[in-house]
Amino acid sequence: MVLEWLISGMFDGDPEGEAKANKVVEELGSHALTKSHDRHISMKRAREIGLKVSALEDNDDLQEAVLTVHHACIQTLSETRPSSL
C-alpha cells in the first residue's frame, strides 16, 4: 500500500518513481535499519533515501499551525484522566 501511495503521490510523474518508491520502502521497512516503528529519521537521512521533505521552519505560518495543534494535543492528553473501566 505504501509503495502504491509513494508512486501515485510523492513520485507521481517521475519516470524513476517506482525505483525511488521501492528504495524508500526498502529503507524504512527494514527492521535492521530502523529498529522500531517510531524511530526518528533526520531530515538529512529522509532526503538521502529519496523522500521529498520540507523543513517546517521554512514556512512560518505552517510551523505556527502545526505547533498550535501539537500543543493543544499535548495539553489535552496531559489533562485528560484515564477512564476507569
Side-chain angles (χ1 to χ4, degrees):
M1 183 170 26
V2 173
L3 180 65
E4 291 174 20
W5 289 344
L6 285 167
I7 293 169
S8 66
M10 184 176 287
F11 301 119
D12 186 40
D14 186 330
E16 298 176 19
E18 189 170 344
K20 290 178 180 180
N22 277 312
K23 181 180 178 187
V24 169
V25 169
E26 188 176 304
E27 289 274 338
L28 297 182
S30 168
H31 180 71
L33 296 174
T34 58
K35 309 277 191 239
S36 85
H37 184 72
D38 63 349
R39 189 174 187 137
H40 174 78
I41 298 167
S42 70
M43 184 178 307
K44 179 183 176 198
R45 183 67 187 136
R47 287 178 174 159
E48 287 172 355
I49 65 173
L51 290 170
K52 297 177 184 178
V53 295
S54 300
L56 194 56
E57 297 81 7
D58 291 344
N59 183 327
D60 290 339
D61 291 336
L62 179 59
Q63 182 179 19
E64 181 64 28
V66 169
L67 289 175
T68 297
V69 171
H70 170 73
H71 293 138
C73 289
I74 295 300
Q75 183 67 30
T76 300
L77 293 173
S78 68
E79 297 297 326
T80 303
R81 291 179 147 172
S83 65
S84 54
L85 297 175

